[in-house]
Amino acid sequence: RYWRDWSSDVCSSDLGAVGSRLTQEGRAMASDSSFDIVSKVDRQEVDNAINQAGKEVHQRFDFKGTDSTIVWAGEDVDLESSTEERLKSVLDVFYSKLARRGVDFKSMETSDAHPSGKRWKQTCTLRQGISQENAKKLTKLIRDEGLKGVKTQITGDEVRVSSKSRDDLQVVQALIKAQDYDFAVQYVNYR
């Protein structure tokens, strides 16, 4: 009964005016779309890869007696083994586990194997964030493409790309994927 009383008092032209105001306001609110270009590594995924690689190295027959290890050392990952060949095999096992966990190899910087006493050691360092030099490379690439209305902004170790057209943003993502940079790139905060 309440609905009938209210609906008879409201004119349909009033509803049309309210609806058109809402769509205009909705367009004004969502005028620019954007995303952030980042270079981050999920530490939990790396930790899972270390644990899986450690189990495999411990259980495999060809690693018996080599006392091969793979462990966290602060923010780095240390690998050790009795010979250089075994150390390379440990690194291969670790990289295969990283690949299965979806961690980009470009986010890891691996030192050269070096002897330490009777053992061989190697360190893998996680690279987090985009350096200023690499951020400038990204913004120059986007600017040189000549897409009108696409804006870039470097904020710390991230690059924000914004445009009125979502299609332009997808073109930017495809452009960056086509480049072969020596650092990992992910896209987050797509709005």
Side-chain angles (χ1 to χ4, degrees), residues 24-165:
Q24 289 172 354
E25 290 171 5
R27 281 190 213 124
M29 286 174 42
S31 63
D32 274 1
S33 298
S34 67
F35 67 89
D36 294 334
I37 304 170
V38 299
S39 181
K40 295 185 178 181
V41 179
D42 186 357
R43 186 176 164 91
Q44 184 61 49
E45 291 297 336
V46 176
D47 190 49
N48 291 340
I50 289 171
N51 291 336
Q52 290 175 351
K55 286 180 186 176
E56 183 172 330
V57 166
H58 182 70
Q59 293 174 350
R60 276 184 33 183
F61 179 76
D62 56 336
F63 287 111
K64 296 282 186 209
T66 62
D67 197 28
S68 300
T69 60
I70 178 168
V71 294
W72 279 111
E75 290 297 312
D76 299 335
V77 180
D78 282 349
L79 296 95
E80 289 186 26
S81 192
S82 59
T83 65
E84 186 177 10
E85 291 78 26
R86 288 294 102 205
L87 186 62
K88 287 180 184 177
S89 297
V90 172
L91 184 64
D92 288 343
V93 169
F94 178 50
Y95 273 178
S96 71
K97 300 305 178 186
L98 285 174
R100 286 186 186 165
R101 308 292 310 175
V103 177
D104 194 344
F105 297 144
K106 293 178 182 179
S107 62
M108 302 290 286
E109 187 174 323
T110 306
S111 69
D112 293 331
H114 60 278
S116 176
K118 293 183 179 182
R119 301 183 51 75
W120 283 79
K121 294 186 178 185
Q122 193 166 19
T123 302
C124 296
T125 305
L126 299 176
R127 294 194 294 180
Q128 299 271 24
I130 299 175
S131 68
Q132 287 294 315
E133 179 184 324
N134 290 334
K136 288 178 183 177
K137 285 181 189 176
L138 288 171
T139 57
K140 182 178 181 336
L141 173 75
I142 294 167
R143 218 178 23 252
D144 290 348
E145 184 63 21
L147 296 170
K148 293 185 179 185
V150 175
K151 296 175 265 179
T152 59
Q153 178 183 4
I154 299 172
T155 54
D157 59 354
E158 299 178 353
V159 177
R160 170 151 300 164
V161 180
S162 60
S163 175
K164 292 186 186 278
S165 169

